[in-house]
Amino acid sequence: LTSPDQNFEGGGTGFWAGNRDTSENPEEPPDKILKPAAGSALVFGGDVTHAGMPVKSGLRSVFVCSFSTRTPASSPDRLHGMKAPPVTSANFKGTL
């Protein structure tokens, strides 16, 4: 993967407060931008509104992994595992 000090400028992962109450295409800048050190990872729930931030110069490569954490103890209205959520936004382009 790439190093922000050597290979690119900008980037990071932006996060918006509000989770499901936030649009899938927020108009405002993110509430927080995280730029983890090379060799580290960000782990967060899939219902957190997030996006890769623009790279201003250079080339950024990342490894992205997604997995389900649904267990019998999971609240059915919070985590959907491999199932589609019960309600989708107007911006949803997939199929159920």
Side-chain angles (χ1 to χ4, degrees):
L1 302 180
T2 54
S3 170
D5 295 333
Q6 299 172 8
N7 302 107
F8 67 93
E9 181 181 340
T13 304
F15 293 90
W16 285 262
N19 294 340
R20 289 190 183 166
D21 295 329
T22 301
S23 167
E24 291 177 3
N25 298 302
E27 298 290 325
E28 300 296 320
D31 296 292
K32 186 75 169 176
I33 298 175
L34 298 180
K35 296 181 179 184
S40 61
L42 293 176
V43 179
F44 52 91
D47 61 345
V48 176
T49 302
H50 64 283
M53 303 311 295
V55 172
K56 296 177 182 175
S57 66
L59 177 67
R60 175 185 183 211
S61 63
V62 297
F63 177 75
V64 177
C65 181
S66 178
F67 55 91
S68 173
T69 59
R70 188 171 177 80
T71 69
S74 299
S75 170
D77 65 346
R78 181 170 187 313
L79 299 173
H80 301 289
M82 298 304 287
K83 300 177 189 174
V87 177
T88 60
S89 75
N91 295 325
F92 180 70
K93 303 292 187 232
T95 59
L96 297 180

